[in-house]
Amino acid sequence: MDHKTGVKKPFRLEEIWRIRTLLEINDNLMELSLLNLAIDSKLRSSDLLSLKVADVSSNYLVFSRVLYVQQKTGNDVHFEITQKTQQTLSHWIKDQELQPTDYLFPSPRKPNQSLSYSYYRRIIRSWALALDHNPDLYGTHSLRRTKATLIYQKTKNIRAIQLLLGHTKIENTIKYLGVELEDALRLSEEIES
């Protein structure tokens, strides 16, 4: 199968709600928890899949904010966990009887291992298909980009996005968001000096 490479599209807000509704109807608590936390945390897939239960909760109470050290950069990144995600994760942890040292998203086939990257990617591609989208345009980075893109569209605050994503260079954030020269010029035209 020929897969397109390149920057993966973020999901739009209405698409996220459609996916959530579908997962709720199908009572798919694992994928709903994965979707919600991936969007809230804005973590790379390697960090998201490496999370242990103790990283996000204590005694079934899910934290509202987390400080996490990114594997790729070694830098700290802060992320929030919204109330809806807290509830979903708490239910997931209780339902699966996960212990603090367990992976938050354990492999369904391999004991003491996390969900694999390829399995996670297949899940996201299935969501794209459920939305009648080309699955080649979506991947694990789609979820990392989703909330960052929504925040940027609402605030145009690139520095805030840089902090939330844990980027060291603002240029990386600009490139990541796909802020092109045309966007910059349009913003400039809106500001009168």
Side-chain angles (χ1 to χ4, degrees), residues 82-161:
T82 61
Q83 190 171 18
K84 183 172 187 63
T85 303
Q86 289 173 26
Q87 292 169 350
T88 306
L89 284 174
S90 180
H91 188 190
W92 167 247
I93 292 166
K94 286 178 189 174
D95 184 68
Q96 296 298 301
E97 299 178 358
L98 298 174
Q99 300 305 306
T101 56
D102 290 338
Y103 284 106
L104 188 57
F105 301 107
S107 168
R109 293 185 304 256
K110 299 180 181 177
N112 303 317
Q113 291 190 27
S114 71
L115 196 70
S116 71
Y117 172 82
S118 60
Y119 191 88
Y120 178 39
R121 189 180 75 230
R122 278 195 303 273
I123 289 171
I124 294 168
R125 289 173 60 84
S126 75
W127 296 339
L129 283 169
L131 295 170
D132 293 323
H133 292 333
N134 179 348
D136 291 336
L137 300 178
Y138 296 86
T140 60
H141 236 62
S142 294
L143 295 179
R144 177 164 159 80
R145 294 185 71 216
T146 293
K147 194 164 192 176
T149 302
L150 292 170
I151 293 168
Y152 175 73
Q153 288 171 347
K154 187 172 185 176
T155 67
K156 304 296 188 220
N157 188 337
I158 293 175
R159 175 68 178 139
I161 307 302

Side-chain angles (χ1 to χ4, degrees), residues 9-166:
K9 293 179 67 167
F11 288 104
R12 295 188 319 265
L13 187 58
E14 60 272 10
E15 294 169 337
I16 293 300
W17 283 106
R18 284 177 56 200
I19 295 167
R20 279 185 179 132
T21 301
L22 181 64
L23 295 175
E24 288 171 356
I25 288 169
N26 292 325
D27 199 27
N28 192 331
L29 188 56
M30 189 279 287
E31 287 189 23
L32 183 61
S33 299
L34 187 62
L35 171 73
N36 288 345
L37 187 59
I39 291 171
D40 279 0
S41 70
K42 299 161 290 298
L43 290 173
R44 290 175 185 88
S45 58
S46 58
D47 290 323
L48 180 68
L49 298 177
S50 295
L51 286 172
K52 300 282 183 112
V53 172
D55 292 326
V56 299
S57 73
S58 177
N59 295 322
Y60 300 112
L61 294 175
V62 177
F63 308 133
S64 61
R65 290 193 175 177
V66 173
L67 174 64
Y68 190 77
V69 179
Q70 298 176 97
Q71 293 177 13
K72 181 178 178 181
T73 64
N75 295 331
D76 291 344
V77 66
H78 294 263
F79 63 87
E80 80 287 352
I81 303 177
T82 61
Q83 190 171 18
K84 183 172 187 63
T85 303
Q86 289 173 26
Q87 292 169 350
T88 306
L89 284 174
S90 180
H91 188 190
W92 167 247
I93 292 166
K94 286 178 189 174
D95 184 68
Q96 296 298 301
E97 299 178 358
L98 298 174
Q99 300 305 306
T101 56
D102 290 338
Y103 284 106
L104 188 57
F105 301 107
S107 168
R109 293 185 304 256
K110 299 180 181 177
N112 303 317
Q113 291 190 27
S114 71
L115 196 70
S116 71
Y117 172 82
S118 60
Y119 191 88
Y120 178 39
R121 189 180 75 230
R122 278 195 303 273
I123 289 171
I124 294 168
R125 289 173 60 84
S126 75
W127 296 339
L129 283 169
L131 295 170
D132 293 323
H133 292 333
N134 179 348
D136 291 336
L137 300 178
Y138 296 86
T140 60
H141 236 62
S142 294
L143 295 179
R144 177 164 159 80
R145 294 185 71 216
T146 293
K147 194 164 192 176
T149 302
L150 292 170
I151 293 168
Y152 175 73
Q153 288 171 347
K154 187 172 185 176
T155 67
K156 304 296 188 220
N157 188 337
I158 293 175
R159 175 68 178 139
I161 307 302
Q162 177 190 11
L163 292 171
L164 292 170
L165 293 174

